[in-house]
Amino acid sequence: MFLKNTVNMFKYLLPLLLITSLFGQTIQKDGKEITSFTKEQALEMLKARDAQWESKLAKADSLIESQKVVISDCEAVVVKLEEQSNLDSLMLLAQRKRIDLLKVRDEANEKLVELVEPKWYENQYIWLGIGFILGKI
């Protein structure tokens, strides 16, 4: 209920406030309310306004130039980061290939170890024992 009353109150109060603010604005110069201007006063106000706009445009131009420099610096950083990412991806590929090569090398070394290990029949103590047994017979 309170919300409905507030909405209804603002419905009538808001236009009233807007209308009174439009009629309440006056221009004063040297403490006097001015309703009309001479041609020279109007030109003076226009020149003052143009001077303000020129200074604002100069500031905007300098800001635009500084932003262009910042953007070009950022673009250079992006290019360097892209190059670094390409190098990193190449390094990862090279490391993966190196890991695969080392795995293959490890498997080959294991096969060589199996080939180099003496078999049971190459044991000299077995032949020595067989020799003693055959010598006693």
Side-chain angles (χ1 to χ4, degrees), residues 4-128:
K4 277 187 168 181
N5 289 337
T6 308
V7 171
N8 285 334
M9 185 174 63
F10 278 116
K11 191 187 314 181
Y12 297 110
L13 186 61
L14 189 60
L16 182 64
L17 289 173
L18 290 174
I19 290 171
T20 56
S21 67
L22 290 176
F23 290 118
Q25 294 179 353
T26 59
I27 299 174
Q28 292 185 353
K29 185 174 183 182
D30 298 329
K32 297 178 183 176
E33 188 175 316
I34 301 175
T35 56
S36 63
F37 299 99
T38 63
K39 185 176 183 180
E40 292 81 21
Q41 289 174 333
L43 288 175
E44 183 181 319
M45 288 190 313
L46 288 174
K47 286 179 184 177
R49 185 197 64 191
D50 290 346
Q52 287 176 347
W53 277 107
E54 285 178 9
S55 67
K56 288 179 182 179
L57 286 175
K59 287 179 185 177
D61 288 340
S62 67
L63 285 174
I64 288 171
E65 289 301 320
S66 67
Q67 290 300 317
K68 284 181 181 178
V69 169
V70 169
I71 288 171
S72 65
D73 290 345
C74 289
E75 287 174 350
V77 168
V78 166
V79 167
K80 287 181 182 178
L81 288 174
E82 286 175 348
E83 290 174 357
Q84 185 64 40
S85 109
N86 289 338
L87 287 175
D88 290 345
S89 63
L90 288 175
M91 289 293 291
L92 284 174
L93 287 174
Q95 286 177 347
R96 285 183 190 140
K97 287 185 179 184
R98 185 174 179 196
I99 288 170
D100 292 341
L101 182 65
L102 287 173
K103 285 180 182 177
V104 169
R105 183 177 170 190
D106 187 42
E107 290 171 3
N109 284 339
E110 287 177 6
K111 287 179 184 176
L112 282 176
V113 166
E114 289 176 5
L115 290 175
V116 171
E117 285 181 350
K119 306 293 183 218
W120 67 270
Y121 53 84
E122 293 175 346
N123 192 341
Q124 61 185 358
Y125 295 112
I126 292 176
W127 289 110
L128 182 66

